[in-house]
Amino acid sequence: MRKLPALLPSIAHFPLRSQYPHNPNAASPIPRSFVSLPPPEIVEPFCNLSDVVSSPQPSPWINQILNLLDGSPSMESNLDSFCRQFLITLSPSFVSHTLRSLTNPLTATRFFDWAATQPRYSHTLDCYVSLIRALLSHSPDPATFRRAFADLLRQRLPMTLSAANSLINSLAAAGFVEELLLVWRAMKEANLQPSLFTYNSLLNALANAAMVNSAERVFAAMKEGAMKPDVVTYNTLIKGYCKVGQTHKALKALREMEVENVGPDEATYMTLVQACYNEGDVDCCLRLYNEIEDKGLEVPPHTYSLVICGLCKKGKIVEGCALFENMIRKGCRANKAVYTAIIDCNAKSGNLDEAMRFFERMKGDGIEPDEVTYGAVVNGLCKSGRVEEALGYFEFCKGNGVAVNAVLYSSLIDGLGKAGRVDEAERLFEEMGVEGCPQDSYCYNALIDGLCKCGRIDEALVLFKRMEREGCEQTVYTFTILIGELFKEHRNEEALKLWDVMIDKGVTPNVACFRALSTGLCLSGKVARACKVLDELAPMGIVLETAYEDMITVLCKAGRVKEACKLADGIVDRGREIPGKVRTVLINALRKAGNADLAIKLMHSKIGIGYDRMRSVKKRVKFQTLVDC
């Protein structure tokens, strides 16, 4: 079959009448019969060859027009010349089909605008839909898209189900929820019944935009209507719940799926496991994993990773390793994150040999350790006192292109400090700055702790001031180290001033920090001062549950039972604790301090819980009587 362009070579060389100024008396340069050309042919995207082949064949004009859509400055004039040369006009169907083939949004917009300039032509709804799809498919420019969408609305073209579905799908994928809802309203006005695909696309857009309340209303409308939710619908709703942190609703939707006989799939469980992992609910992750196994579904590799990593984070190394071996038996290959989590958990649990076994196994599986893995190994070695081995891995990382991060440095600084090798720790700390590695609070704290353990408190205080000067956050752990060490050096007033600095900076004291303060005050005979500090914390919303217990324990260990009993009586008088709990605390403190006789005497007495009657007045038997007898 001959191509149409080849049949019209001669006409192109004759100028049209419109190319000359209108003058009825002027002589025509060409015969009148040549001027009266036939009207342009309207070309469609497919040729009607039903008598030859069963399926429609693409028009030969398609590729030729596409070749002209090169985005050049002369693109529109080239299209004009081509259409004039071959006496053709592109139909709306042709324009719509061509727009779906374009990947450049700017070129698509220019072609769309040019098409509207053709004689006796107007865009159809499909043209606008194709343009919007082209604009939204590749990093859309919101301004350009919204102009095209506003133009579509102005045309008031009757909405069709196929156009609505296409628009909703494109708008949902791009996240233009407001425009999507306008299309949804246009469907309702045109009495178009949404399909399951339409509902799911709308739900997906609402879920991605975190508009969960709107998604719930759409979901409820589905359940009440003829279009029942499927697994994609439920998965989309569950994704929306998880996105806004409503995991309990997502889990409820999972149970509803079972009631409605909609079988959850791997994607359902994967979304829920990820949400539970993000919330730190490892037990729920494990339950969901067991459900996947019980239902005979394939466990996604990422699910294994999340559950194993979650178990390891919670210190449940036995369960984590058991799940790891089950994963390997099922033919699922472990990834770097899983190996690193198991290595780290074993190292922190004191099972360094097991951690190193997994480290070698990881390399044997062809998985190259990264800086996080080496950080876990170095940290474990330092915690176990194997600093030389840790230094060896550190040098290996530096020499083999593995990024040396703050975790590696802080682990080594801490390990060297605890080993009494503070000078080497200081050299590493300064090396960090030279190498461009940020000296974070962990590194500062590790070095400050090492200096304090070696009795170099003044150097530690200098580093503390440098920390502030360089804008590094001073954490509660920083203050805890220094306050505890200052009290050990009997520099009580400096310790108390440092406590006040911490409160003024808005750093919230924890149990360990107050224990350092109260221990120092109690051992220096200032129990009342410790109680006063504790009272000052209450209006700030800081409640330290074990504070009094720690103070009683410290006093008993120091042999100051009388002061411990006085403190216990004060606790009861203030109504801070029920007498029975205070009594138990004091008995345990006396027992741990080796003062078993007093502990037994207290246990068999009415002290703290019984009453003595003085005439008509009942008075509780005070703890003070324990040492007065």
mmCIF file with all atom_site columns, all heavy atoms in Angstrom, residues 512-534:
data_model
loop_
_atom_site.group_PDB
_atom_site.id
_atom_site.type_symbol
_atom_site.label_atom_id
_atom_site.label_alt_id
_atom_site.label_comp_id
_atom_site.label_asym_id
_atom_site.label_entity_id
_atom_site.label_seq_id
_atom_site.pdbx_PDB_ins_code
_atom_site.Cartn_x
_atom_site.Cartn_y
_atom_site.Cartn_z
_atom_site.occupancy
_atom_site.B_iso_or_equiv
_atom_site.pdbx_formal_charge
_atom_site.auth_seq_id
_atom_site.auth_comp_id
_atom_site.auth_asym_id
_atom_site.auth_atom_id
_atom_site.pdbx_PDB_model_num
ATOM 1   N N   . ALA A 1 512 ? 19.823 8.389  86.806  1.00 0.00 ? 512 ALA A N   1
ATOM 2   C CA  . ALA A 1 512 ? 21.264 8.263  87.031  1.00 0.00 ? 512 ALA A CA  1
ATOM 3   C C   . ALA A 1 512 ? 21.869 9.592  87.453  1.00 0.00 ? 512 ALA A C   1
ATOM 4   O O   . ALA A 1 512 ? 22.757 9.634  88.326  1.00 0.00 ? 512 ALA A O   1
ATOM 5   C CB  . ALA A 1 512 ? 21.939 7.744  85.765  1.00 0.00 ? 512 ALA A CB  1
ATOM 6   N N   . CYS A 1 513 ? 21.401 10.671 86.845  1.00 0.00 ? 513 CYS A N   1
ATOM 7   C CA  . CYS A 1 513 ? 21.956 11.989 87.176  1.00 0.00 ? 513 CYS A CA  1
ATOM 8   C C   . CYS A 1 513 ? 21.617 12.378 88.615  1.00 0.00 ? 513 CYS A C   1
ATOM 9   O O   . CYS A 1 513 ? 22.469 12.845 89.368  1.00 0.00 ? 513 CYS A O   1
ATOM 10  C CB  . CYS A 1 513 ? 21.424 13.034 86.199  1.00 0.00 ? 513 CYS A CB  1
ATOM 11  S SG  . CYS A 1 513 ? 22.252 14.625 86.337  1.00 0.00 ? 513 CYS A SG  1
ATOM 12  N N   . PHE A 1 514 ? 20.346 12.189 89.002  1.00 0.00 ? 514 PHE A N   1
ATOM 13  C CA  . PHE A 1 514 ? 19.988 12.525 90.385  1.00 0.00 ? 514 PHE A CA  1
ATOM 14  C C   . PHE A 1 514 ? 20.678 11.590 91.371  1.00 0.00 ? 514 PHE A C   1
ATOM 15  O O   . PHE A 1 514 ? 21.036 11.992 92.475  1.00 0.00 ? 514 PHE A O   1
ATOM 16  C CB  . PHE A 1 514 ? 18.468 12.462 90.586  1.00 0.00 ? 514 PHE A CB  1
ATOM 17  C CG  . PHE A 1 514 ? 18.057 12.826 91.985  1.00 0.00 ? 514 PHE A CG  1
ATOM 18  C CD1 . PHE A 1 514 ? 18.048 14.155 92.388  1.00 0.00 ? 514 PHE A CD1 1
ATOM 19  C CD2 . PHE A 1 514 ? 17.728 11.849 92.919  1.00 0.00 ? 514 PHE A CD2 1
ATOM 20  C CE1 . PHE A 1 514 ? 17.706 14.500 93.684  1.00 0.00 ? 514 PHE A CE1 1
ATOM 21  C CE2 . PHE A 1 514 ? 17.378 12.180 94.201  1.00 0.00 ? 514 PHE A CE2 1
ATOM 22  C CZ  . PHE A 1 514 ? 17.368 13.520 94.600  1.00 0.00 ? 514 PHE A CZ  1
ATOM 23  N N   . ARG A 1 515 ? 20.879 10.342 90.962  1.00 0.00 ? 515 ARG A N   1
ATOM 24  C CA  . ARG A 1 515 ? 21.581 9.410  91.845  1.00 0.00 ? 515 ARG A CA  1
ATOM 25  C C   . ARG A 1 515 ? 22.993 9.903  92.119  1.00 0.00 ? 515 ARG A C   1
ATOM 26  O O   . ARG A 1 515 ? 23.490 9.810  93.252  1.00 0.00 ? 515 ARG A O   1
ATOM 27  C CB  . ARG A 1 515 ? 21.618 8.015  91.217  1.00 0.00 ? 515 ARG A CB  1
ATOM 28  C CG  . ARG A 1 515 ? 22.199 6.948  92.158  1.00 0.00 ? 515 ARG A CG  1
ATOM 29  C CD  . ARG A 1 515 ? 22.290 5.597  91.472  1.00 0.00 ? 515 ARG A CD  1
ATOM 30  N NE  . ARG A 1 515 ? 20.963 5.107  91.128  1.00 0.00 ? 515 ARG A NE  1
ATOM 31  C CZ  . ARG A 1 515 ? 20.594 4.708  89.920  1.00 0.00 ? 515 ARG A CZ  1
ATOM 32  N NH1 . ARG A 1 515 ? 21.460 4.780  88.906  1.00 0.00 ? 515 ARG A NH1 1
ATOM 33  N NH2 . ARG A 1 515 ? 19.383 4.269  89.706  1.00 0.00 ? 515 ARG A NH2 1
ATOM 34  N N   . ALA A 1 516 ? 23.669 10.437 91.089  1.00 0.00 ? 516 ALA A N   1
ATOM 35  C CA  . ALA A 1 516 ? 25.019 10.984 91.286  1.00 0.00 ? 516 ALA A CA  1
ATOM 36  C C   . ALA A 1 516 ? 24.985 12.148 92.272  1.00 0.00 ? 516 ALA A C   1
ATOM 37  O O   . ALA A 1 516 ? 25.844 12.260 93.151  1.00 0.00 ? 516 ALA A O   1
ATOM 38  C CB  . ALA A 1 516 ? 25.592 11.437 89.945  1.00 0.00 ? 516 ALA A CB  1
ATOM 39  N N   . LEU A 1 517 ? 23.972 13.011 92.153  1.00 0.00 ? 517 LEU A N   1
ATOM 40  C CA  . LEU A 1 517 ? 23.847 14.162 93.060  1.00 0.00 ? 517 LEU A CA  1
ATOM 41  C C   . LEU A 1 517 ? 23.493 13.712 94.470  1.00 0.00 ? 517 LEU A C   1
ATOM 42  O O   . LEU A 1 517 ? 24.138 14.121 95.455  1.00 0.00 ? 517 LEU A O   1
ATOM 43  C CB  . LEU A 1 517 ? 22.775 15.119 92.529  1.00 0.00 ? 517 LEU A CB  1
ATOM 44  C CG  . LEU A 1 517 ? 22.519 16.350 93.400  1.00 0.00 ? 517 LEU A CG  1
ATOM 45  C CD1 . LEU A 1 517 ? 23.632 17.368 93.212  1.00 0.00 ? 517 LEU A CD1 1
ATOM 46  C CD2 . LEU A 1 517 ? 21.174 16.982 93.068  1.00 0.00 ? 517 LEU A CD2 1
ATOM 47  N N   . SER A 1 518 ? 22.438 12.884 94.579  1.00 0.00 ? 518 SER A N   1
ATOM 48  C CA  . SER A 1 518 ? 21.972 12.476 95.911  1.00 0.00 ? 518 SER A CA  1
ATOM 49  C C   . SER A 1 518 ? 23.004 11.627 96.643  1.00 0.00 ? 518 SER A C   1
ATOM 50  O O   . SER A 1 518 ? 23.159 11.743 97.863  1.00 0.00 ? 518 SER A O   1
ATOM 51  C CB  . SER A 1 518 ? 20.655 11.711 95.791  1.00 0.00 ? 518 SER A CB  1
ATOM 52  O OG  . SER A 1 518 ? 20.816 10.530 95.021  1.00 0.00 ? 518 SER A OG  1
ATOM 53  N N   . THR A 1 519 ? 23.737 10.787 95.901  1.00 0.00 ? 519 THR A N   1
ATOM 54  C CA  . THR A 1 519 ? 24.796 9.976  96.542  1.00 0.00 ? 519 THR A CA  1
ATOM 55  C C   . THR A 1 519 ? 25.858 10.886 97.141  1.00 0.00 ? 519 THR A C   1
ATOM 56  O O   . THR A 1 519 ? 26.283 10.702 98.287  1.00 0.00 ? 519 THR A O   1
ATOM 57  C CB  . THR A 1 519 ? 25.422 9.026  95.504  1.00 0.00 ? 519 THR A CB  1
ATOM 58  O OG1 . THR A 1 519 ? 24.423 8.140  95.007  1.00 0.00 ? 519 THR A OG1 1
ATOM 59  C CG2 . THR A 1 519 ? 26.556 8.221  96.126  1.00 0.00 ? 519 THR A CG2 1
ATOM 60  N N   . GLY A 1 520 ? 26.280 11.878 96.356  1.00 0.00 ? 520 GLY A N   1
ATOM 61  C CA  . GLY A 1 520 ? 27.285 12.813 96.864  1.00 0.00 ? 520 GLY A CA  1
ATOM 62  C C   . GLY A 1 520 ? 26.794 13.593 98.065  1.00 0.00 ? 520 GLY A C   1
ATOM 63  O O   . GLY A 1 520 ? 27.528 13.759 99.061  1.00 0.00 ? 520 GLY A O   1
ATOM 64  N N   . LEU A 1 521 ? 25.540 14.062 98.025  1.00 0.00 ? 521 LEU A N   1
ATOM 65  C CA  . LEU A 1 521 ? 25.000 14.828 99.151  1.00 0.00 ? 521 LEU A CA  1
ATOM 66  C C   . LEU A 1 521 ? 24.791 13.948 100.377 1.00 0.00 ? 521 LEU A C   1
ATOM 67  O O   . LEU A 1 521 ? 25.104 14.354 101.515 1.00 0.00 ? 521 LEU A O   1
ATOM 68  C CB  . LEU A 1 521 ? 23.672 15.476 98.744  1.00 0.00 ? 521 LEU A CB  1
ATOM 69  C CG  . LEU A 1 521 ? 23.782 16.645 97.748  1.00 0.00 ? 521 LEU A CG  1
ATOM 70  C CD1 . LEU A 1 521 ? 22.403 17.078 97.280  1.00 0.00 ? 521 LEU A CD1 1
ATOM 71  C CD2 . LEU A 1 521 ? 24.523 17.828 98.373  1.00 0.00 ? 521 LEU A CD2 1
ATOM 72  N N   . CYS A 1 522 ? 24.257 12.744 100.162 1.00 0.00 ? 522 CYS A N   1
ATOM 73  C CA  . CYS A 1 522 ? 24.018 11.846 101.304 1.00 0.00 ? 522 CYS A CA  1
ATOM 74  C C   . CYS A 1 522 ? 25.324 11.453 101.987 1.00 0.00 ? 522 CYS A C   1
ATOM 75  O O   . CYS A 1 522 ? 25.420 11.432 103.226 1.00 0.00 ? 522 CYS A O   1
ATOM 76  C CB  . CYS A 1 522 ? 23.262 10.599 100.848 1.00 0.00 ? 522 CYS A CB  1
ATOM 77  S SG  . CYS A 1 522 ? 21.537 10.910 100.430 1.00 0.00 ? 522 CYS A SG  1
ATOM 78  N N   . LEU A 1 523 ? 26.338 11.158 101.199 1.00 0.00 ? 523 LEU A N   1
ATOM 79  C CA  . LEU A 1 523 ? 27.621 10.750 101.783 1.00 0.00 ? 523 LEU A CA  1
ATOM 80  C C   . LEU A 1 523 ? 28.339 11.914 102.463 1.00 0.00 ? 523 LEU A C   1
ATOM 81  O O   . LEU A 1 523 ? 29.218 11.706 103.296 1.00 0.00 ? 523 LEU A O   1
ATOM 82  C CB  . LEU A 1 523 ? 28.513 10.136 100.701 1.00 0.00 ? 523 LEU A CB  1
ATOM 83  C CG  . LEU A 1 523 ? 28.033 8.793  100.123 1.00 0.00 ? 523 LEU A CG  1
ATOM 84  C CD1 . LEU A 1 523 ? 28.992 8.297  99.047  1.00 0.00 ? 523 LEU A CD1 1
ATOM 85  C CD2 . LEU A 1 523 ? 27.892 7.734  101.219 1.00 0.00 ? 523 LEU A CD2 1
ATOM 86  N N   . SER A 1 524 ? 27.963 13.128 102.114 1.00 0.00 ? 524 SER A N   1
ATOM 87  C CA  . SER A 1 524 ? 28.559 14.295 102.767 1.00 0.00 ? 524 SER A CA  1
ATOM 88  C C   . SER A 1 524 ? 27.657 14.842 103.876 1.00 0.00 ? 524 SER A C   1
ATOM 89  O O   . SER A 1 524 ? 27.845 15.949 104.359 1.00 0.00 ? 524 SER A O   1
ATOM 90  C CB  . SER A 1 524 ? 28.856 15.392 101.749 1.00 0.00 ? 524 SER A CB  1
ATOM 91  O OG  . SER A 1 524 ? 27.674 15.775 101.082 1.00 0.00 ? 524 SER A OG  1
ATOM 92  N N   . GLY A 1 525 ? 26.647 14.037 104.258 1.00 0.00 ? 525 GLY A N   1
ATOM 93  C CA  . GLY A 1 525 ? 25.785 14.397 105.371 1.00 0.00 ? 525 GLY A CA  1
ATOM 94  C C   . GLY A 1 525 ? 24.730 15.426 105.051 1.00 0.00 ? 525 GLY A C   1
ATOM 95  O O   . GLY A 1 525 ? 24.154 16.032 105.960 1.00 0.00 ? 525 GLY A O   1
ATOM 96  N N   . LYS A 1 526 ? 24.409 15.631 103.763 1.00 0.00 ? 526 LYS A N   1
ATOM 97  C CA  . LYS A 1 526 ? 23.427 16.651 103.390 1.00 0.00 ? 526 LYS A CA  1
ATOM 98  C C   . LYS A 1 526 ? 22.194 15.992 102.775 1.00 0.00 ? 526 LYS A C   1
ATOM 99  O O   . LYS A 1 526 ? 21.791 16.270 101.652 1.00 0.00 ? 526 LYS A O   1
ATOM 100 C CB  . LYS A 1 526 ? 24.046 17.633 102.397 1.00 0.00 ? 526 LYS A CB  1
ATOM 101 C CG  . LYS A 1 526 ? 25.224 18.425 102.996 1.00 0.00 ? 526 LYS A CG  1
ATOM 102 C CD  . LYS A 1 526 ? 25.814 19.381 101.984 1.00 0.00 ? 526 LYS A CD  1
ATOM 103 C CE  . LYS A 1 526 ? 26.982 20.168 102.606 1.00 0.00 ? 526 LYS A CE  1
ATOM 104 N NZ  . LYS A 1 526 ? 27.616 21.087 101.643 1.00 0.00 ? 526 LYS A NZ  1
ATOM 105 N N   . VAL A 1 527 ? 21.575 15.103 103.593 1.00 0.00 ? 527 VAL A N   1
ATOM 106 C CA  . VAL A 1 527 ? 20.398 14.384 103.119 1.00 0.00 ? 527 VAL A CA  1
ATOM 107 C C   . VAL A 1 527 ? 19.243 15.355 102.864 1.00 0.00 ? 527 VAL A C   1
ATOM 108 O O   . VAL A 1 527 ? 18.508 15.232 101.888 1.00 0.00 ? 527 VAL A O   1
ATOM 109 C CB  . VAL A 1 527 ? 19.988 13.301 104.132 1.00 0.00 ? 527 VAL A CB  1
ATOM 110 C CG1 . VAL A 1 527 ? 18.754 12.548 103.644 1.00 0.00 ? 527 VAL A CG1 1
ATOM 111 C CG2 . VAL A 1 527 ? 21.135 12.330 104.375 1.00 0.00 ? 527 VAL A CG2 1
ATOM 112 N N   . ALA A 1 528 ? 19.089 16.318 103.782 1.00 0.00 ? 528 ALA A N   1
ATOM 113 C CA  . ALA A 1 528 ? 18.003 17.296 103.643 1.00 0.00 ? 528 ALA A CA  1
ATOM 114 C C   . ALA A 1 528 ? 18.137 18.084 102.341 1.00 0.00 ? 528 ALA A C   1
ATOM 115 O O   . ALA A 1 528 ? 17.139 18.393 101.678 1.00 0.00 ? 528 ALA A O   1
ATOM 116 C CB  . ALA A 1 528 ? 17.995 18.237 104.834 1.00 0.00 ? 528 ALA A CB  1
ATOM 117 N N   . ARG A 1 529 ? 19.375 18.399 101.956 1.00 0.00 ? 529 ARG A N   1
ATOM 118 C CA  . ARG A 1 529 ? 19.613 19.144 100.718 1.00 0.00 ? 529 ARG A CA  1
ATOM 119 C C   . ARG A 1 529 ? 19.185 18.296 99.506  1.00 0.00 ? 529 ARG A C   1
ATOM 120 O O   . ARG A 1 529 ? 18.581 18.811 98.556  1.00 0.00 ? 529 ARG A O   1
ATOM 121 C CB  . ARG A 1 529 ? 21.096 19.508 100.624 1.00 0.00 ? 529 ARG A CB  1
ATOM 122 C CG  . ARG A 1 529 ? 21.478 20.316 99.394  1.00 0.00 ? 529 ARG A CG  1
ATOM 123 C CD  . ARG A 1 529 ? 20.978 21.750 99.478  1.00 0.00 ? 529 ARG A CD  1
ATOM 124 N NE  . ARG A 1 529 ? 21.389 22.560 98.346  1.00 0.00 ? 529 ARG A NE  1
ATOM 125 C CZ  . ARG A 1 529 ? 22.532 23.252 98.275  1.00 0.00 ? 529 ARG A CZ  1
ATOM 126 N NH1 . ARG A 1 529 ? 23.392 23.225 99.296  1.00 0.00 ? 529 ARG A NH1 1
ATOM 127 N NH2 . ARG A 1 529 ? 22.816 23.969 97.219  1.00 0.00 ? 529 ARG A NH2 1
ATOM 128 N N   . ALA A 1 530 ? 19.468 17.000 99.568  1.00 0.00 ? 530 ALA A N   1
ATOM 129 C CA  . ALA A 1 530 ? 19.072 16.101 98.482  1.00 0.00 ? 530 ALA A CA  1
ATOM 130 C C   . ALA A 1 530 ? 17.555 16.028 98.369  1.00 0.00 ? 530 ALA A C   1
ATOM 131 O O   . ALA A 1 530 ? 16.993 16.058 97.268  1.00 0.00 ? 530 ALA A O   1
ATOM 132 C CB  . ALA A 1 530 ? 19.659 14.709 98.711  1.00 0.00 ? 530 ALA A CB  1
ATOM 133 N N   . CYS A 1 531 ? 16.880 15.973 99.525  1.00 0.00 ? 531 CYS A N   1
ATOM 134 C CA  . CYS A 1 531 ? 15.415 15.941 99.521  1.00 0.00 ? 531 CYS A CA  1
ATOM 135 C C   . CYS A 1 531 ? 14.839 17.235 98.966  1.00 0.00 ? 531 CYS A C   1
ATOM 136 O O   . CYS A 1 531 ? 13.839 17.233 98.236  1.00 0.00 ? 531 CYS A O   1
ATOM 137 C CB  . CYS A 1 531 ? 14.884 15.699 100.934 1.00 0.00 ? 531 CYS A CB  1
ATOM 138 S SG  . CYS A 1 531 ? 15.274 14.055 101.568 1.00 0.00 ? 531 CYS A SG  1
ATOM 139 N N   . LYS A 1 532 ? 15.483 18.355 99.299  1.00 0.00 ? 532 LYS A N   1
ATOM 140 C CA  . LYS A 1 532 ? 15.024 19.649 98.806  1.00 0.00 ? 532 LYS A CA  1
ATOM 141 C C   . LYS A 1 532 ? 15.141 19.722 97.277  1.00 0.00 ? 532 LYS A C   1
ATOM 142 O O   . LYS A 1 532 ? 14.230 20.203 96.593  1.00 0.00 ? 532 LYS A O   1
ATOM 143 C CB  . LYS A 1 532 ? 15.849 20.763 99.449  1.00 0.00 ? 532 LYS A CB  1
ATOM 144 C CG  . LYS A 1 532 ? 15.406 22.165 99.029  1.00 0.00 ? 532 LYS A CG  1
ATOM 145 C CD  . LYS A 1 532 ? 16.304 23.238 99.624  1.00 0.00 ? 532 LYS A CD  1
ATOM 146 C CE  . LYS A 1 532 ? 15.889 24.620 99.115  1.00 0.00 ? 532 LYS A CE  1
ATOM 147 N NZ  . LYS A 1 532 ? 16.795 25.684 99.596  1.00 0.00 ? 532 LYS A NZ  1
ATOM 148 N N   . VAL A 1 533 ? 16.270 19.237 96.741  1.00 0.00 ? 533 VAL A N   1
ATOM 149 C CA  . VAL A 1 533 ? 16.461 19.225 95.282  1.00 0.00 ? 533 VAL A CA  1
ATOM 150 C C   . VAL A 1 533 ? 15.387 18.379 94.623  1.00 0.00 ? 533 VAL A C   1
ATOM 151 O O   . VAL A 1 533 ? 14.813 18.746 93.590  1.00 0.00 ? 533 VAL A O   1
ATOM 152 C CB  . VAL A 1 533 ? 17.868 18.725 94.921  1.00 0.00 ? 533 VAL A CB  1
ATOM 153 C CG1 . VAL A 1 533 ? 17.988 18.508 93.416  1.00 0.00 ? 533 VAL A CG1 1
ATOM 154 C CG2 . VAL A 1 533 ? 18.938 19.692 95.400  1.00 0.00 ? 533 VAL A CG2 1
ATOM 155 N N   . LEU A 1 534 ? 15.098 17.229 95.261  1.00 0.00 ? 534 LEU A N   1
ATOM 156 C CA  . LEU A 1 534 ? 14.081 16.343 94.705  1.00 0.00 ? 534 LEU A CA  1
ATOM 157 C C   . LEU A 1 534 ? 12.712 17.008 94.714  1.00 0.00 ? 534 LEU A C   1
ATOM 158 O O   . LEU A 1 534 ? 11.933 16.883 93.765  1.00 0.00 ? 534 LEU A O   1
ATOM 159 C CB  . LEU A 1 534 ? 14.044 15.029 95.501  1.00 0.00 ? 534 LEU A CB  1
ATOM 160 C CG  . LEU A 1 534 ? 13.184 13.903 94.928  1.00 0.00 ? 534 LEU A CG  1
ATOM 161 C CD1 . LEU A 1 534 ? 13.648 13.539 93.527  1.00 0.00 ? 534 LEU A CD1 1
ATOM 162 C CD2 . LEU A 1 534 ? 13.218 12.677 95.827  1.00 0.00 ? 534 LEU A CD2 1
#
